[in-house]
Amino acid sequence: MRDTQIISFRPRLQFDSESSNNIESFQNNTLRPILKLQQPVTIGLLYSNKHFLQNIKLIDQDNMSDLHEFLKHFLSKDKNLRNKIIGMIIGMMTSDELKFYLDNESELNKRISSMQTKRYVDTITQGI
């Protein structure tokens, strides 16, 4: 019952996954919809971080490259924040998805961090 409810919450995104391997398919069919669903709470978490608010003022937020590097570095340094974000994503997985995630945790954590960084850059540059 829980798995069905969780999937029903997710936005439906269309991807061509015919030529994808298992990791890419999981990224497109599971992670991307979850990241989109969780964007309001993950961006809220980022903006509630006082170190982020202090440091974001020091860079040119209109320069996407600088912003991306800043966020990538910031999330890699702040393990607590990174783990909370990953936890928010894992919490929206079904039982089978969680099993796959645990079998591929290191690779998927890198992908989650990379995709979340991109989503943050897009959100910040759009002024949301």
Side-chain angles (χ1 to χ4, degrees):
M1 180 167 169
R2 177 187 181 276
D3 290 353
T4 305
Q5 290 174 329
I6 283 181
I7 290 174
S8 73
F9 291 139
R10 295 182 193 163
R12 303 211 191 287
L13 307 176
Q14 298 297 320
F15 293 99
D16 177 21
S17 55
E18 272 184 35
S19 61
S20 299
N21 65 35
N22 288 344
I23 297 282
E24 289 169 343
S25 181
F26 185 82
Q27 173 182 303
N28 291 332
N29 297 321
T30 300
L31 295 180
R32 287 189 190 282
I34 292 173
L35 286 166
K36 184 171 183 151
L37 173 70
Q38 294 293 81
Q39 183 67 8
V41 291
T42 60
I43 196 76
L45 183 64
L46 179 66
Y47 275 103
S48 72
N49 184 296
K50 67 180 179 180
H51 298 293
F52 170 77
L53 293 175
Q54 292 168 347
N55 290 309
I56 191 74
K57 296 175 186 174
L58 304 175
I59 63 154
D60 178 6
Q61 294 178 38
D62 294 326
N63 184 324
M64 289 182 81
S65 179
D66 288 352
L67 183 57
H68 186 270
E69 284 305 310
F70 164 74
L71 285 163
K72 186 172 141 184
H73 180 73
F74 186 81
L75 291 174
S76 70
K77 274 183 64 178
D78 192 332
K79 300 289 185 201
N80 187 34
L81 177 63
R82 183 176 174 266
N83 290 337
K84 284 179 184 178
I85 292 166
I86 290 172
M88 291 174 147
I89 305 310
I90 293 170
M92 294 304 294
M93 290 181 186
T94 66
S95 300
D96 289 340
E97 291 167 343
L98 180 60
K99 288 176 194 169
F100 184 83
Y101 166 81
L102 293 172
D103 288 342
N104 301 280
E105 186 173 356
S106 179
E107 173 64 23
L108 292 172
N109 281 348
K110 290 176 192 172
R111 289 178 184 246
I112 290 169
S113 293
S114 175
M115 291 187 304
Q116 186 62 64
T117 299
K118 173 84 170 87
R119 291 191 70 80
Y120 282 154
V121 169
D122 292 346
T123 301
I124 292 168
T125 56
Q126 291 173 7
I128 299 173

